[in-house]
Amino acid sequence: MARSPQNPPGADDGAHSSRPRTSGRGSQDPLVTRRDMAGWVGGSPRPNAAGRWPGERLGLAQHGPTSMAGWGRRILAVVIDWSIALLISNLWFEGHPLVTLGFYILMQVVLLGLLGTTVGKRIAGIQVVRVGGAMAGPVRVLIRTALWCLVVTPFMVDPDGRGVHDRVAGTVQIRM
């Protein structure tokens, strides 16, 4: 093979040359294919990043007590707790929206901080604990409730189903 600017000394006959590869039909194949890039484009492999079930990465059981509380239970608990706050607000404060919100926050902070559950969460079979199983405590619950009141944070969930409010506070909602 004759030496030319396209074929410098030491280059083999086509696999690594600077010329585009061509197929038998005369069209040019790309120098780099998706298969070539598959090893590094996705970054380092993260096997089981989301876990096989919600809460596995946190050390929670797959089913039964101490497993992650599902969305149905969580929504039921919020509806019950909000209904209690609304009932109190309607009976004594003419249904003022800020009073309703205030009673809801008070119930969350006091009951979750002291007992780990509210009336609605108790009926739904949910307990709020720190990751690892210890009681959340009033300070974590206050942070959690303040973030929950921003409304959007419960819907910004991680692969385990924990909202931003739970991640920041270091808490998790488990089944009782």
Side-chain angles (χ1 to χ4, degrees):
M1 185 177 250
R3 289 187 180 146
S4 69
Q6 280 97 8
N7 193 7
D12 58 285
D13 58 307
H16 298 342
S17 72
S18 59
R19 292 179 291 159
R21 294 183 284 188
T22 59
S23 63
R25 291 180 271 166
S27 65
Q28 292 185 352
D29 288 338
L31 289 175
V32 179
T33 64
R34 288 183 187 197
R35 183 174 295 173
D36 297 332
M37 293 174 49
W40 62 272
V41 169
S44 61
R46 294 182 355 183
N48 207 13
R52 292 175 290 194
W53 63 82
E56 180 189 24
R57 295 181 316 142
L58 303 171
L60 300 176
Q62 184 174 7
H63 300 291
T66 72
S67 65
M68 286 284 291
W71 283 102
R73 289 175 184 263
R74 294 183 204 183
I75 292 170
L76 175 64
V78 169
V79 168
I80 292 170
D81 287 339
W82 188 261
S83 296
I84 291 170
L86 190 60
L87 179 68
I88 292 169
S89 175
N90 281 329
L91 286 177
W92 290 291
F93 299 97
E94 298 175 2
H96 194 279
L98 290 178
V99 173
T100 305
L101 180 63
F103 271 107
Y104 181 82
I105 291 171
L106 184 66
M107 282 191 320
Q108 295 294 308
V109 172
V110 170
L111 295 177
L112 285 179
L114 297 176
L115 305 174
T117 189
T118 62
V119 174
K121 288 186 186 316
R122 179 73 180 168
I123 291 169
I126 298 174
Q127 185 175 12
V128 176
V129 296
R130 288 186 359 204
V131 174
M135 289 289 292
V139 174
R140 288 182 190 268
V141 169
L142 185 62
I143 293 168
R144 181 185 184 278
T145 304
L147 289 173
W148 192 93
C149 287
L150 294 176
V151 179
V152 87
T153 62
F155 299 109
M156 298 168 56
V157 297
D158 66 4
D160 287 315
R162 291 188 332 157
V164 173
H165 62 298
D166 277 324
R167 288 191 310 252
V168 170
T171 58
V172 63
Q173 296 185 62
I174 60 171
R175 292 176 57 188
M176 295 172 63

